[in-house]
Amino acid sequence: MEDNVTPRRIAVTVLTAGLLLGGGAAPAHAAAAPPKVTTGPCQYTETPEDPAARPVTLPRDPRHTPDRGTVTTTLITNLGLVPLTLDRAQAPCTVQSFLHLVRNRFYNRTVCHRLTTYPTLKVLQCGDPTGTGEGGPGYRYKDELPTDLPPAPTDPTGARKVYARGVLAMANAGPDTNGSQFFLVFADSALRPNYTIFGSVRPLGLRTLDRIAAGGVAPTAEDPAPVDGAPALRTEICLAL
């Protein structure tokens, strides 16, 4: 069983020879420019090896990142509303990035590409404009991990914690690789505490999640009864605001 929530990223190494342009050859010693990094506390960092799936700038990174209070936002999907409460105190850099992507329409007309219905992992994953699980915003930023989650009763080792029903958290591809993909927990799940929690799904949104989850995972020729894959009920974020 797969018990993680990660974007499906493919690492590509490109070896570039000197290119002729206008009769001149590129210098053999020319090197790629270093990635841009914001100068505030969040240090949003460009990822040239993983370019943005949809054009978007780096978020603003003020010296005093807002770290108090909550912000409400709503995902308007084809299957119903998903109102969210974002917690600045819990994850200020994550909330700042998420709001930046919302304001820049990054999430509009995107599909939620993954539904998991394992006994210990029940989440809907969204946030990739390509719909493949490989896309992101062209930048990454640091984790803001939870430290007070209760141990999962299904894990006697104590390594996995409870990500409770209604949790809103970031998917990632390893430490400090947060981007645009996020997941919404529709039933208590057991995960290692390696995923930043930055808010919660409000009651109306949970009803929408329950409807999506009830539809199950879309079957394939290879797996007629899957527990991990695209939702059988195609779920599109029509508008995030």
Side-chain angles (χ1 to χ4, degrees):
M1 186 202 76
E2 185 175 334
D3 69 341
N4 60 7
V5 187
T6 61
R8 299 185 182 95
R9 297 256 173 90
I10 299 175
V12 179
T13 301
V14 180
L15 302 179
T16 306
L19 299 179
L20 295 179
L21 180 63
H29 61 273
K36 294 179 181 176
V37 182
T38 59
T39 57
C42 297
Q43 294 192 313
Y44 301 110
T45 303
E46 274 188 334
T47 54
E49 74 286 355
D50 187 16
R54 181 176 285 177
V56 68
T57 62
L58 293 177
R60 289 183 63 254
D61 190 5
R63 183 176 176 183
H64 298 293
T65 303
D67 60 0
R68 295 182 182 179
T70 59
V71 184
T72 57
T73 187
T74 300
L75 307 178
I76 301 175
T77 81
N78 60 316
L79 298 174
L81 299 179
V82 183
L84 306 172
T85 299
L86 312 182
D87 189 342
R88 289 190 186 276
Q90 194 170 28
C93 293
T94 304
V95 170
Q96 188 164 254
S97 172
F98 190 84
L99 291 174
H100 170 74
L101 295 174
V102 167
R103 290 166 184 153
N104 284 275
R105 305 183 182 91
F106 189 85
Y107 293 126
N108 293 0
R109 298 294 176 186
T110 62
V111 297
C112 294
H113 61 275
R114 183 183 182 194
L115 179 71
T116 64
T117 58
Y118 293 112
T120 57
L121 182 62
K122 297 181 182 294
V123 305
L124 177 70
Q125 190 167 334
C126 313
D128 170 16
T130 73
T132 64
E134 297 174 9
Y139 65 85
R140 59 177 172 80
Y141 59 95
K142 65 184 180 181
D143 294 324
E144 297 171 294
L145 300 178
T147 59
D148 57 352
L149 299 179
T154 55
D155 182 3
T157 70
R160 290 172 176 79
K161 308 298 181 181
V162 175
Y163 278 65
R165 171 174 165 84
V167 155
L168 170 65
M170 291 301 297
N172 63 53
D176 301 321
T177 59
N178 300 288
S180 62
Q181 293 188 41
F182 60 92
F183 61 94
L184 308 108
V185 183
F186 59 85
D188 288 3
S189 297
L191 284 167
R192 296 180 186 275
N194 298 336
Y195 305 94
T196 296
I197 294 174
F198 66 104
S200 59
V201 183
R202 295 161 70 184
L204 177 61
L206 288 174
R207 290 198 289 273
T208 301
L209 284 181
D210 289 342
R211 178 183 177 191
I212 297 165
V217 179
T220 64
E222 295 77 19
D223 189 351
V227 293
D228 187 350
L233 296 177
R234 187 178 188 278
T235 304
E236 180 180 352
I237 299 173
C238 304
L239 185 65
L241 48 79

